[in-house]
Amino acid sequence: MLVAGVAVVHAALWPRSLPLFVAGTILAGAGVGLLFRRGVAVTQGLADPRRRADLLSTYFPAAYTGSIVPSPNS
């Protein structure tokens, strides 16, 4: 969903289509949400129960930073 959403956003830039841009943004946002949720689930599954909070508190800043930093190809 994330890749498809980004592709739709890029496709919306050429004809300057607001509805297509909004649809791509929603699709990409849903993809980011699903990836973030899966990352939390994997982190919880791999963490030692006594150290789970420590690992999750490290995961959140890394995941948020990764989602706000622009890619080099932008």
Side-chain angles (χ1 to χ4, degrees):
M1 287 178 68
L2 175 60
V3 173
V6 171
V8 171
V9 168
H10 268 275
L13 296 177
W14 290 102
R16 296 183 180 181
S17 169
L18 180 61
L20 195 59
F21 182 80
V22 170
T25 303
I26 290 171
L27 191 60
V32 167
L34 289 172
L35 286 173
F36 192 84
R37 179 179 170 197
R38 180 65 181 153
V40 169
V42 167
T43 302
Q44 287 182 342
L46 293 175
D48 177 34
R50 293 174 290 158
R51 305 289 297 188
R52 189 171 290 153
D54 297 338
L55 189 58
L56 279 175
S57 68
T58 304
Y59 174 78
F60 274 87
Y64 283 131
T65 302
S67 67
I68 63 170
V69 174
S71 66
N73 296 330
S74 294

